[in-house]
Amino acid sequence: MTITADAHRQKVVKFVQELLLDHEDRSDITPSLIAEKITLVISMNPKWGEGLNRDAVTDELIRRFSMWTGQDTALTSDIDHEAWLTSARKQDWRYWQRYREWLERKLSFKVVEALDRSTDTILEQLEDPKRDGSWDRRGLIVGHVQSGKTGNYTGLICKAADAGYKIIIVLAGMHNNLRSQTQMRLDEGFLGYETKPAQDDIRIIGVGEIDGDPAIRPNYVTNRTDKGDFSTAIARKLGITPEQRPWLFVVKKNKTVLERLYRWIRNHVADTHDPETSRRIVTRLPLLLIDDEADHASVDTGEQWFDAEGNPDDEHQPTAINSRIRKILHSFSKASYVGYTATPFANIFIHEKGATREEGPDLFPSAFIINLAASSNYIGPSKVFGHSGPDGREGGVPLVRTVDDYSNGDGRGGWMPQKHNVTHTPLHDVGTALPPSLVEAIDAFLLSCALRDIRGQGSDHSSMLIHVTRFNAVQQHVHSQVDEHVRHIRQRLQRRVDHEDIVQRLRSLWEEDFIPTTQAILAIAPDQASPQQPIWEDVLQALTDNIGDVQVRMINGTAKDALDYSDHKGVGLKVIAIGGDKLARGLTLEGLCISYFLRASRMYDTLMQMGRWFGYRPDYLDLCRLYTTHELCEWFEHITDAAEELRDEFDLMAASNGTPRDYGLKVQSHSVLMVTSRLKMRSAKSLMLSFSGQLLETVSLYRDNPTLQQNLNAAKQLLSSLGKPEPNPTRQRFGSQQNWTGFLWSDIDTTHIVEFLSSYRTHPEAHKVNSALLAEFIQSMAIKNELTHWTVALIGGGTGENLEIVNGISVSMLKRKANGPFEDRYAIGRLLSPRDEAIDLDEAAWGEALKLTREAWRNDPARASDGKEPEVPNGPAIRKVRGFGSNDTPAHPERGVLLIYALDPEQAEAGFPEETHPIIAFGISFPGSNSGLKVEYKINNVGWELEYEPTN
């Protein structure tokens, strides 16, 4: 498809969408009605119909009218804030209007309407730029990974400029390619023209094609070239005077660049002195500072001291980038700061009172934190990896392919062992050949490109990510190997010489993997795949046609990496991108289909940011694949569940009018964040953890008989001391009855729980569940009259062998399938059934928890992997209702729940020897609490780096 044909297709889609919006009954929008409107639009301009793929236009419009977007949730503080945004104020906002019209060419009207609502919500939390006096407003926007955060802040910038903000600074990552990519996106969405070093040759693009009036054309300082950042030469020539049009700066988070910008503001823009400190400040130009990837580099990782009253040391020296961001903000008497991130936890660890004399307040989002809801067609962690269930992961799409042929068994040899250095040369068993898993991944990419072409998406970009090492020298070896491999396939297919084996290999992958995967995706998400089933001869022809366009590139941080997509607009760039840290954060790989990912970081935020494969995959989700290791799958599943729970916590807090400070206190003590960067948690030698309001379950367990016997003995000792149980408990649940097979004890004293935990040995890979630490926490809470009375349940009813733990107490052991072939542990996905955690709740409390759960679910369809409303309450709601109560239910912060399970090793599919002892596992549900009590988790620097930092 040519650039012109692609533009014509966009126009047809846009005008047909407008006609359908006027249709009285939108539920009656059918393919035949769409076809009728397409014919009508083409009759208005017959050129638009030349070469038009009407089926592709129809599929796109059906998707647009079937998707939906949830509601953003917010925690806000109105301290020193004046409400100001009214509909009257928004009249004649030309920057936003043209951006909206430009988006409607490419996006569903529902998505654009949701963006309008979302940016209004953010803007009204900022201060009115026309408000007199001094003000400072700081907030954080939390979006899903690869979910459109750039589009959101572009819309915010347009509205802020319309409202009267004059200086707009965007901090765009730490590398030239990301800064350049962001500049290009803002050229299209806000400026309306290409930014170049020479301003005399203006090329109108993007929103400028809709409204290119020079009278509203924003000014730019930085440009899209490799050397387009804020420089000494720019600073020397640039002067800003009060005027109508806003100024845009897109700069890297680089110490030198930010220092240069700060000095220029202080020396050339400031118009007065602060009467108290004599600092030079800007009073006439309101500032909006957008901090993209705000958790990266912006956070002060130095440890700041506070006195007994919580007052900060104002002589503290922040880290370089944090210091300069704060100095820039501190130089304006009217300033708003908005951070954007998908992994906000480092920002929430910022001390709310952190401040210094030179830098002013730290970047804690004291004014607001807003969780952005994604559209229903967003493919996020919960849709890729599903959610944990007793029978394994549930609800995920079948796109993950695990690999284990990249290294030798010892993890130190082979093509790409986890532990390698800059001198490593990748070698497989047969010399420099690629491992079979990477050969398959490349084949999958070639098939994806061919099938997208058949579906009418040949003019769209298609990308493959290979992320296996952070060393540029090793990446160069990989690049050479992959480039040679692709060249070999290209020559064989195009010349049709010695190509039979390659053709058969590709055909087998298509028939054995692609066809069944497409059918599975159509059953789960029919709007994310195409029902068209081409014949192999057409696929082979498309393979031959497309392989000549496939390029193999190293992503090394230059602006050219980002410019390529723009250069190939309308014809589609097909690229295999090989990189490391430059690919790990922020950079968007457009049309990402195949990912081959071996990096082994265990840090929560690093892993989530490396997930470039999340995002929007309209009509080609079934063609996407993630090739990765069993271990990384386990970690991604773990952090997916953790992220979902923390979003649930956020929604519950928003519903009760919580503030950013409340959420900060909650997250700062959350044990799941033991797997994020310890430096960002500002804790040099230890972590202070609270387990209040959390569920802990043992999902990494020992395999050896002596330890299994020790844990079985701990269970026997506990259960024999509890007295007479309630067998097979039942609970009423609004017209239905829940039944458990097992035994229940109520009102159990804390001492029994502490003794059990002191005797039980948890596996070191069970990062959240440390039995000694839990025992200490429970004892400390009991002193405060919390966690003093426990419910204990032994859950049975499985399909395994019968196990008598003590006289009269026996259960059929449960099946929990192993979650990967680990020699050092028996790892499972989920221990508890979701309903088990509510075994102690009466009907009223259970109903209140379900109500809270459904309210949170309706807010964000991106988190609903199967589209069905929850039938049981989620964990955060259960623990909130138990600990804090509600209007109709009393609070029980004194009541914890211990759930014990016996797992059958013979059903685990984990390679246990025949004589392996039964496996005792447990879960603990802690009620919500305001006590703030924490226990200390100690770890030394070397231990932390060995455990969580990337090893390659």
Side-chain angles (χ1 to χ4, degrees):
M1 183 182 290
T2 65
I3 295 176
T4 301
D6 187 52
H8 289 170
R9 176 173 60 90
Q10 286 188 6
K11 289 177 180 177
V12 171
V13 170
K14 182 180 186 299
F15 284 118
V16 173
Q17 178 174 264
E18 292 291 338
L19 292 173
L20 294 172
L21 286 174
D22 290 334
H23 193 68
E24 290 184 5
D25 183 4
R26 292 183 185 175
S27 65
D28 189 35
I29 293 176
T30 61
S32 60
L33 178 63
I34 293 173
E36 175 188 319
K37 301 301 183 186
I38 292 174
T39 300
L40 177 60
V41 169
I42 292 175
S43 69
M44 296 162 51
N45 190 332
K47 287 185 177 181
W48 292 351
E50 296 174 3
L52 182 70
N53 186 328
R54 294 174 67 112
D55 288 339
V57 171
T58 300
D59 290 345
E60 170 66 14
L61 287 161
I62 289 173
R63 275 195 302 274
R64 289 190 178 195
F65 278 87
S66 64
M67 71 176 58
W68 58 289
T69 300
Q71 297 293 320
D72 300 341
T73 52
L75 300 174
T76 62
S77 171
D78 290 333
I79 296 175
D80 194 33
H81 176 57
E82 295 181 5
W84 64 282
L85 188 60
T86 62
S87 57
R89 183 70 182 275
K90 293 164 59 180
Q91 290 182 359
D92 301 323
W93 276 12
R94 294 173 69 181
Y95 294 126
W96 165 250
Q97 183 58 37
R98 66 180 191 172
Y99 182 57
R100 177 176 185 137
E101 289 184 26
W102 183 66
L103 289 177
E104 286 172 346
R105 294 180 178 181
K106 303 180 293 180
L107 300 176
S108 164
F109 69 97
K110 295 182 181 180
V111 173
V112 179
E113 287 175 354
L115 178 64
D116 190 8
R117 293 193 306 270
S118 180
T119 47
D120 270 2
T121 299
I122 302 167
L123 186 65
E124 67 186 2
Q125 287 301 319
L126 305 183
E127 224 50 54
D128 182 355
K130 298 181 179 179
R131 176 183 164 185
D132 292 332
S134 299
W135 40 262
D136 185 293
R137 196 84 172 148
R138 304 191 181 195
L140 185 69
I141 309 301
V142 182
H144 300 273
V145 176
Q146 295 288 291
S147 66
K149 294 186 295 295
T150 306
N152 186 281
Y153 68 66
T154 302
L156 177 64
I157 287 170
C158 290
K159 289 184 175 181
D162 279 322
Y165 279 90
K166 297 303 182 185
I167 303 290
I168 298 167
I169 299 173
V170 179
L171 306 180
M174 301 187 68
H175 304 292
N176 284 331
N177 57 0
L178 182 54
R179 193 212 68 81
S180 180
Q181 183 182 73
T182 304
Q183 179 82 57
M184 287 187 284
R185 294 282 297 274
L186 289 169
D187 285 0
E188 285 188 314
F190 175 53
L191 295 178
Y193 58 96
E194 281 190 354
T195 53
K196 298 179 179 178
Q199 299 188 19
D200 51 351
D201 180 22
I202 291 181
R203 177 170 174 253
I204 299 298
I205 60 172
V207 295
E209 298 171 356
I210 294 171
D211 183 354
D213 184 355
I216 68 165
R217 187 178 295 156
N219 299 294
Y220 73 93
V221 178
T222 53
N223 64 69
R224 60 171 50 200
T225 66
D226 192 22
K227 297 181 180 180
D229 209 339
F230 191 79
S231 65
T232 302
I234 291 174
R236 191 179 299 120
K237 296 185 295 183
L238 182 63
I240 290 180
T241 56
E243 57 179 293
Q244 195 63 30
R245 294 179 292 161
W247 287 83
L248 176 67
F249 300 71
V250 182
V251 300
K252 290 194 303 292
K253 293 186 198 179
N254 174 278
K255 172 185 174 182
T256 302
V257 172
L258 292 174
E259 177 68 20
R260 190 181 295 138
L261 178 57
Y262 164 63
R263 290 182 179 277
W264 173 78
I265 290 170
R266 187 183 63 186
N267 296 328
H268 297 281
V269 187
D271 53 61
T272 188
H273 288 83
D274 183 281
E276 295 183 7
T277 64
S278 296
R279 286 183 303 106
R280 290 183 58 80
I281 57 174
V282 182
T283 61
R284 68 188 190 280
L285 299 171
L287 166 70
L288 171 62
L289 193 151
I290 302 288
D291 187 357
D292 196 8
E293 306 293 343
D295 64 308
H296 190 47
S298 301
V299 179
D300 178 15
T301 55
E303 189 166 5
Q304 184 172 358
W305 295 97
F306 296 84
D307 62 23
E309 284 73 41
N311 298 311
D313 173 16
D314 62 9
E315 298 296 332
H316 168 67
Q317 295 294 315
T319 48
I321 292 175
N322 172 270
S323 170
R324 283 151 182 83
I325 294 172
R326 289 162 59 185
K327 283 180 177 178
I328 290 170
L329 286 165
H330 206 37
S331 298
F332 287 79
S333 64
K334 307 174 191 293
S336 289
Y337 167 91
V338 185
Y340 278 79
T341 182
T343 48
F345 309 114
N347 305 80
I348 291 166
F349 281 117
I350 298 169
H351 199 288
E352 59 168 329
K353 292 185 178 180
T356 61
R357 182 179 294 110
E358 288 296 318
E359 288 82 8
D362 207 341
L363 300 178
F364 181 78
S366 56
F368 58 89
I369 304 174
I370 296 174
N371 255 348
L372 297 181
S375 300
S376 56
N377 63 335
Y378 171 69
I379 307 302
S382 64
K383 289 186 180 177
V384 174
F385 295 102
H387 57 273
S388 287
D391 299 321
R393 304 299 294 184
E394 300 173 353
V397 289
L399 304 180
V400 179
R401 306 289 182 266
T402 55
V403 303
D404 58 9
D405 58 358
Y406 53 91
S407 69
N408 295 341
D410 60 3
R412 296 181 179 275
W415 184 74
M416 195 64 63
Q418 293 291 355
K419 298 182 183 299
H420 65 265
N421 57 32
V422 69
T423 62
H424 174 69
T425 300
L427 296 171
H428 193 54
D429 293 339
V430 287
T432 59
L434 301 171
S437 59
L438 183 51
V439 171
E440 180 184 312
I442 294 170
D443 286 351
F445 179 63
L446 299 179
L447 282 167
S448 295
C449 291
L451 292 164
R452 292 194 72 193
D453 192 19
I454 290 172
R455 293 179 184 183
Q457 299 176 358
S459 62
D460 296 330
H461 304 305
S462 293
S463 302
M464 175 179 179
L465 159 68
I466 299 177
H467 189 164
V468 295
T469 176
R470 67 186 176 92
F471 298 119
N472 287 346
V474 184
Q475 291 169 27
Q476 186 63 60
H477 287 299
V478 176
H479 175 271
S480 298
Q481 292 178 359
V482 173
D483 194 43
E484 172 62 24
H485 179 75
V486 172
R487 186 183 64 82
H488 172 78
I489 298 175
R490 181 186 301 120
Q491 290 177 343
R492 296 296 184 272
L493 288 183
Q494 291 182 338
R495 296 177 183 177
R496 305 192 70 78
V497 176
D498 294 332
H499 65 294
E500 291 83 2
D501 289 345
I502 293 173
V503 170
Q504 184 55 47
R505 191 181 73 215
L506 288 161
R507 182 170 186 169
S508 296
L509 183 62
W510 180 66
E511 292 177 345
E512 297 169 12
D513 187 321
F514 274 71
I515 290 177
T517 300
T518 295
Q519 294 304 315
I521 298 293
L522 285 169
I524 299 169
D527 60 333
Q528 300 278 11
S530 173
Q532 302 175 40
Q533 188 65 268
I535 61 174
W536 169 247
E537 287 71 22
D538 290 343
V539 176
L540 180 58
Q541 184 61 54
L543 276 165
T544 306
D545 293 342
N546 277 273
I547 194 169
D549 297 327
V550 174
Q551 303 178 30
V552 182
R553 297 286 185 85
M554 271 186 65
I555 303 297
N556 57 21
T558 66
K560 183 61 180 172
D561 301 323
L563 284 167
D564 281 343
Y565 287 114
S566 178
D567 292 346
H568 288 77
K569 182 175 291 186
V571 294
L573 177 64
K574 297 172 178 62
V575 62
I576 299 176
I578 298 163
D581 293 340
K582 307 299 187 299
L583 281 175
R585 182 179 278 273
L587 187 68
T588 297
L589 290 172
E590 297 191 28
L592 181 62
C593 301
I594 310 297
S595 299
Y596 190 86
F597 186 76
L598 302 181
R599 287 294 300 281
S601 170
R602 291 185 176 183
M603 290 192 292
Y604 181 109
D605 42 8
T606 302
L607 269 180
M608 288 299 280
Q609 288 292 347
M610 286 179 175
R612 301 290 95 196
W613 48 84
F614 304 129
Y616 299 95
R617 304 289 183 265
D619 202 28
Y620 68 99
L621 176 64
D622 58 315
L623 308 182
C624 298
R625 299 290 184 272
L626 167 58
Y627 289 83
T628 191
T629 68
H630 285 285
E631 184 177 45
L632 279 168
C633 271
E634 182 189 38
W635 275 93
F636 268 109
E637 289 164 0
H638 167 75
I639 62 179
T640 294
D641 293 340
E644 294 306 296
E645 181 166 298
L646 285 166
R647 280 183 171 266
D648 285 337
E649 293 277 11
F650 186 96
D651 290 344
L652 291 173
M653 199 166 284
S656 59
N657 298 316
T659 68
R661 179 180 182 274
D662 298 328
Y663 190 59
L665 294 174
K666 174 70 179 178
V667 173
Q668 287 176 32
S669 63
H670 202 298
S671 63
V672 72
L673 297 180
M674 289 163 66
V675 292
T676 193
S677 168
R678 181 181 52 79
L679 285 177
K680 293 177 184 177
M681 289 198 280
R682 299 167 173 263
S683 181
K685 297 179 181 178
S686 65
L687 309 176
M688 298 303 296
L689 302 177
S690 169
F691 300 105
S692 293
Q694 295 187 47
L695 170 69
L696 306 182
E697 47 186 326
T698 49
V699 293
S700 290
L701 300 144
Y702 279 98
R703 299 174 60 95
D704 64 287
N705 271 339
T707 306
L708 296 179
Q709 185 62 54
Q710 176 183 332
N711 291 344
L712 178 57
N713 290 340
K716 288 182 176 182
Q717 181 180 353
L718 171 66
L719 300 184
S720 64
S721 67
L722 298 184
K724 187 176 181 179
E726 174 190 352
N728 300 327
T730 63
R731 297 291 182 267
Q732 295 301 315
R733 303 304 191 212
F734 293 97
S736 64
Q737 184 173 279
Q738 286 185 343
N739 305 292
W740 283 265
T741 300
F743 301 88
L744 185 74
W745 292 263
S746 300
D747 203 24
I748 302 301
D749 188 76
T750 300
T751 55
H752 295 285
I753 311 302
V754 171
E755 288 173 2
F756 167 73
L757 292 171
S758 299
S759 302
Y760 187 101
R761 187 178 175 196
T762 45
H763 196 283
E765 287 291 320
H767 300 288
K768 288 178 64 177
V769 189
N770 179 311
S771 55
L773 204 64
L774 291 172
E776 179 185 346
F777 176 74
I778 292 168
Q779 285 178 307
S780 302
M781 291 291 283
I783 294 172
K784 293 180 172 288
N785 292 319
E786 296 194 15
L787 299 180
T788 54
H789 296 77
W790 286 75
T791 299
V792 178
L794 173 65
I795 306 295
T799 58
E801 292 291 322
N802 190 70
L803 173 66
E804 184 173 42
I805 298 182
V806 295
N807 290 335
I809 305 296
S810 63
V811 291
S812 297
M813 290 190 287
L814 303 173
K815 175 183 177 179
R816 292 293 184 267
K817 184 180 177 181
N819 187 27
F822 302 107
E823 295 182 1
D824 65 327
R825 63 193 186 278
Y826 164 40
I828 61 177
R830 184 79 200 269
L831 176 64
L832 279 67
S833 293
R835 69 189 195 121
D836 292 352
E837 195 180 354
I839 196 170
D840 69 315
L841 297 188
D842 61 21
E843 189 171 38
W846 187 89
E848 184 64 26
L850 181 60
K851 176 184 174 184
L852 292 174
T853 299
R854 287 177 171 172
E855 287 174 353
W857 179 89
R858 294 184 187 113
N859 278 336
D860 195 348
R863 292 159 53 195
S865 58
D866 56 8
K868 297 178 181 177
E869 189 172 63
E871 296 179 357
V872 296
N874 65 25
I878 291 169
R879 300 187 289 275
K880 179 180 180 180
V881 170
R882 183 189 298 128
F884 299 113
S886 67
N887 292 336
D888 301 317
T889 60
H892 290 289
E894 80 286 353
R895 198 170 70 208
V897 177
L898 172 65
L899 301 160
I900 298 175
Y901 300 80
L903 309 183
D904 190 342
E906 292 186 5
Q907 296 194 338
E909 300 179 30
F912 283 109
E914 287 187 10
E915 301 302 319
T916 300
H917 293 337
I919 302 162
I920 297 296
F922 71 84
I924 299 183
S925 177
F926 289 102
S929 171
N930 286 324
S931 71
L933 191 143
K934 303 175 185 179
V935 289
E936 185 177 32
Y937 180 88
K938 294 184 178 180
I939 187 165
N940 62 44
N941 292 350
V942 174
W944 187 275
E945 290 170 4
L946 288 175
E947 187 63 31
Y948 295 119
E949 297 291 345
T951 54
N952 47 338

